[in-house]
Coordinates of all heavy atoms in Angstrom, one line a residue:
D402 N 59.4 56.2 53.1 CA 60.8 56.4 53.5 C 61.7 56.6 52.3 O 62.8 57.2 52.4 CB 61.3 55.2 54.3 CG 60.7 55.2 55.7 OD1 60.4 56.2 56.3 OD2 60.5 54.0 56.2
I403 N 61.3 56.1 51.2 CA 62.1 56.3 49.9 C 61.8 57.7 49.4 O 60.6 58.0 49.0 CB 61.7 55.2 48.9 CG1 62.0 53.9 49.5 CG2 62.5 55.5 47.6 CD1 61.6 52.7 48.6
P404 N 62.8 58.6 49.3 CA 62.5 59.9 48.9 C 62.2 60.0 47.4 O 62.7 59.3 46.6 CB 63.8 60.6 49.2 CG 64.9 59.6 49.1 CD 64.2 58.3 49.6
L405 N 61.2 60.9 47.1 CA 60.9 61.3 45.7 C 61.7 62.5 45.4 O 61.5 63.6 45.9 CB 59.4 61.5 45.5 CG 58.5 60.3 45.7 CD1 57.1 60.7 45.7 CD2 58.8 59.3 44.5
K406 N 62.7 62.4 44.5 CA 63.6 63.5 44.1 C 63.1 64.3 42.9 O 62.3 63.8 42.1 CB 65.0 63.0 43.9 CG 65.6 62.3 45.2 CD 67.0 61.7 44.9 CE 67.5 61.0 46.1 NZ 68.8 60.3 45.9
Q407 N 63.6 65.5 42.8 CA 63.2 66.4 41.7 C 61.7 66.6 41.5 O 61.2 66.6 40.4 CB 63.8 65.8 40.4 CG 65.4 65.8 40.4 CD 65.9 65.5 39.0 OE1 65.2 65.3 38.0 NE2 67.3 65.4 38.9
Q408 N 61.1 66.7 42.7 CA 59.6 67.0 42.7 C 59.3 68.5 42.6 O 60.0 69.3 43.2 CB 59.0 66.4 43.9 CG 59.1 64.9 44.0 CD 58.5 64.1 42.9 OE1 57.3 64.3 42.7 NE2 59.2 63.4 42.1
R409 N 58.3 68.8 41.9 CA 57.8 70.2 41.8 C 57.1 70.5 43.1 O 56.0 70.0 43.3 CB 57.0 70.4 40.6 CG 56.6 71.9 40.4 CD 55.7 72.0 39.2 NE 56.5 71.9 37.9 CZ 56.5 70.8 37.2 NH1 55.8 69.7 37.6 NH2 57.2 70.8 36.1
I410 N 57.6 71.3 44.0 CA 57.0 71.6 45.3 C 56.0 72.8 45.1 O 55.0 72.8 45.8 CB 58.1 72.0 46.3 CG1 59.2 70.9 46.4 CG2 57.4 72.2 47.7 CD1 58.7 69.6 46.8
F411 N 56.3 73.7 44.3 CA 55.5 74.9 44.1 C 55.7 75.5 42.7 O 56.8 75.4 42.2 CB 56.0 76.0 45.2 CG 55.3 77.3 45.0 CD1 54.1 77.6 45.7 CD2 55.9 78.3 44.2 CE1 53.6 78.9 45.5 CE2 55.4 79.6 44.1 CZ 54.2 79.9 44.7
W412 N 54.6 76.0 42.2 CA 54.7 76.8 40.9 C 53.7 77.9 40.8 O 52.6 77.8 41.3 CB 54.7 75.8 39.7 CG 53.5 74.9 39.6 CD1 53.4 73.7 40.2 CD2 52.3 75.0 38.9 NE1 52.2 73.0 39.9 CE2 51.5 73.8 39.1 CE3 51.8 76.0 38.1 CZ2 50.3 73.7 38.5 CZ3 50.5 75.8 37.5 CH2 49.8 74.7 37.7
D413 N 54.1 78.9 40.1 CA 53.2 80.1 39.8 C 53.6 80.6 38.4 O 54.7 81.1 38.2 CB 53.5 81.2 40.8 CG 52.5 82.3 40.7 OD1 51.9 82.5 39.6 OD2 52.3 83.1 41.7
F414 N 52.6 80.4 37.5 CA 52.9 80.8 36.1 C 52.1 82.1 35.7 O 52.0 82.3 34.5 CB 52.4 79.7 35.2 CG 53.3 78.4 35.2 CD1 52.8 77.2 34.9 CD2 54.6 78.5 35.6 CE1 53.6 76.1 34.9 CE2 55.4 77.4 35.7 CZ 54.9 76.2 35.3
D415 N 51.6 82.8 36.6 CA 50.7 83.9 36.3 C 51.3 85.3 36.8 O 50.5 86.1 37.2 CB 49.3 83.7 36.8 CG 48.3 84.7 36.2 OD1 48.4 84.9 35.0 OD2 47.5 85.2 36.9
L416 N 52.6 85.4 36.8 CA 53.2 86.7 37.2 C 53.3 87.6 36.0 O 53.5 87.2 34.9 CB 54.6 86.4 37.8 CG 54.7 85.4 38.9 CD1 56.1 85.1 39.3 CD2 53.9 86.0 40.2
A417 N 53.1 88.9 36.3 CA 53.3 89.9 35.3 C 54.8 89.9 34.9 O 55.7 89.7 35.7 CB 53.0 91.3 35.8
Y418 N 55.1 90.1 33.6 CA 56.5 90.1 33.2 C 57.3 91.2 33.9 O 56.9 92.3 33.8 CB 56.6 90.2 31.6 CG 58.0 90.2 31.2 CD1 58.7 89.1 31.2 CD2 58.6 91.4 30.8 CE1 60.1 89.1 30.8 CE2 59.9 91.4 30.4 CZ 60.6 90.2 30.4 OH 62.0 90.3 30.0
G419 N 58.4 90.8 34.5 CA 59.2 91.7 35.2 C 60.0 91.0 36.2 O 60.2 89.8 36.2
T420 N 60.6 91.8 37.2 CA 61.4 91.2 38.2 C 60.6 90.9 39.5 O 59.8 91.7 39.9 CB 62.5 92.3 38.6 OG1 63.3 92.6 37.4 CG2 63.4 91.7 39.7
H421 N 60.8 89.7 40.0 CA 60.1 89.2 41.1 C 61.1 88.5 42.1 O 62.2 88.1 41.7 CB 59.0 88.2 40.7 CG 58.1 88.7 39.7 ND1 57.0 89.5 40.1 CD2 58.0 88.6 38.4 CE1 56.3 89.8 39.0 NE2 56.9 89.3 37.9
T422 N 60.6 88.4 43.3 CA 61.4 87.7 44.3 C 60.6 86.6 45.0 O 59.5 86.9 45.5 CB 62.0 88.7 45.4 OG1 62.8 89.6 44.7 CG2 62.8 87.9 46.5
I423 N 61.1 85.4 45.1 CA 60.4 84.3 45.8 C 61.2 84.1 47.1 O 62.4 84.1 47.2 CB 60.4 83.0 45.0 CG1 59.6 81.9 45.8 CG2 61.8 82.5 44.6 CD1 59.4 80.6 45.0
K424 N 60.4 84.0 48.2 CA 61.0 83.7 49.5 C 60.4 82.5 50.1 O 59.2 82.3 50.1 CB 60.8 84.9 50.5 CG 61.5 84.7 51.9 CD 61.2 86.0 52.7 CE 61.9 85.8 54.1 NZ 61.6 86.9 55.0
I425 N 61.3 81.6 50.6 CA 60.8 80.3 51.2 C 61.3 80.3 52.6 O 62.5 80.5 52.9 CB 61.3 79.1 50.4 CG1 60.9 79.2 49.0 CG2 60.9 77.8 51.1 CD1 61.5 78.2 48.0
T426 N 60.4 80.0 53.6 CA 60.8 79.9 55.0 C 60.4 78.5 55.5 O 59.3 78.0 55.4 CB 60.1 81.0 55.8 OG1 60.3 82.3 55.3 CG2 60.5 80.9 57.3
N427 N 61.4 77.8 56.2 CA 61.1 76.5 56.7 C 60.4 76.6 58.0 O 60.8 77.3 59.0 CB 62.4 75.8 56.9 CG 62.2 74.3 57.4 OD1 61.2 73.7 57.1 ND2 63.2 73.8 58.1
S428 N 59.3 75.9 58.2 CA 58.5 75.9 59.5 C 59.1 74.8 60.4 O 58.9 74.8 61.6 CB 57.1 75.6 59.2 OG 56.9 74.2 58.9
A429 N 59.8 73.8 59.8 CA 60.4 72.7 60.6 C 59.4 71.8 61.3 O 59.7 71.2 62.3 CB 61.5 73.3 61.6
H430 N 58.2 71.8 60.8 CA 57.2 70.9 61.4 C 56.2 70.5 60.4 O 56.1 71.0 59.3 CB 56.5 71.7 62.6 CG 55.4 72.6 62.1 ND1 55.6 73.9 61.6 CD2 54.0 72.3 61.9 CE1 54.4 74.4 61.3 NE2 53.5 73.5 61.4
R431 N 55.4 69.5 60.8 CA 54.3 69.0 60.0 C 53.3 68.5 61.0 O 53.6 68.2 62.2 CB 54.7 67.9 59.0 CG 55.1 66.6 59.7 CD 55.3 65.5 58.7 NE 55.8 64.3 59.2 CZ 55.0 63.3 59.8 NH1 53.7 63.5 59.9 NH2 55.5 62.2 60.3
K432 N 52.0 68.4 60.5 CA 51.0 67.9 61.4 C 51.2 66.5 61.9 O 51.7 65.6 61.1 CB 49.6 68.0 60.7 CG 49.2 69.4 60.4 CD 47.8 69.4 59.7 CE 47.3 70.8 59.4 NZ 46.0 70.8 58.7
G433 N 51.0 66.2 63.1 CA 51.1 64.9 63.7 C 52.5 64.5 64.0 O 52.8 63.3 64.3
S434 N 53.5 65.4 64.0 CA 54.8 65.1 64.3 C 55.5 66.2 65.2 O 55.2 67.4 65.0 CB 55.7 64.9 63.1 OG 57.0 64.6 63.4
S435 N 56.3 65.8 66.2 CA 57.0 66.7 67.0 C 58.5 66.9 66.5 O 59.2 67.7 67.0 CB 57.0 66.3 68.4 OG 57.6 65.0 68.6
K436 N 58.9 66.1 65.5 CA 60.2 66.2 65.1 C 60.4 67.3 64.1 O 59.5 67.7 63.3 CB 60.6 64.8 64.4 CG 60.7 63.6 65.3 CD 61.1 62.4 64.5 CE 61.1 61.2 65.4 NZ 61.5 59.9 64.7
S437 N 61.6 67.9 64.1 CA 61.9 68.9 63.1 C 61.9 68.3 61.7 O 62.5 67.2 61.5 CB 63.2 69.6 63.4 OG 63.2 70.3 64.6
T438 N 61.4 69.0 60.7 CA 61.3 68.5 59.4 C 62.2 69.3 58.4 O 62.6 70.4 58.8 CB 59.9 68.6 58.8 OG1 59.4 69.9 58.9 CG2 58.9 67.6 59.6
L439 N 62.5 68.7 57.3 CA 63.4 69.3 56.4 C 62.7 70.1 55.3 O 61.6 69.9 55.0 CB 64.2 68.1 55.6 CG 65.1 67.2 56.5 CD1 65.7 66.1 55.6 CD2 66.2 68.0 57.2
C440 N 63.5 71.0 54.8 CA 63.1 71.8 53.6 C 64.4 71.9 52.8 O 65.5 72.1 53.3 CB 62.7 73.2 54.0 SG 62.4 74.3 52.6
D441 N 64.2 71.6 51.5 CA 65.4 71.7 50.6 C 65.1 72.3 49.3 O 64.0 72.4 48.9 CB 66.1 70.3 50.5 CG 65.2 69.2 49.9 OD1 64.5 69.5 48.9 OD2 65.3 68.1 50.4
I442 N 66.2 72.8 48.7 CA 66.2 73.4 47.4 C 67.1 72.6 46.4 O 68.3 72.5 46.7 CB 66.7 74.9 47.5 CG1 66.0 75.7 48.6 CG2 66.5 75.6 46.1 CD1 64.5 75.8 48.4
D443 N 66.5 72.0 45.4 CA 67.2 71.4 44.4 C 67.5 72.4 43.2 O 68.6 72.5 42.8 CB 66.5 70.2 43.9 CG 67.3 69.3 43.0 OD1 68.4 69.7 42.6 OD2 66.9 68.1 42.7

Side-chain angles (χ1 to χ4, degrees):
D402 289 330
I403 300 174
L405 292 170
K406 298 175 181 178
Q407 296 190 2
Q408 298 298 302
R409 183 181 288 100
I410 310 297
F411 172 90
W412 50 277
D413 187 342
F414 291 154
D415 194 42
L416 302 172
Y418 178 72
T420 300
H421 304 278
T422 298
I423 182 172
K424 182 179 180 180
I425 302 170
T426 304
N427 184 29
S428 75
H430 80 276
R431 66 173 177 85
K432 292 181 180 179
S434 175
S435 59
K436 295 181 180 179
S437 294
T438 56
L439 298 176
C440 173
D441 57 42
I442 310 296
D443 192 347

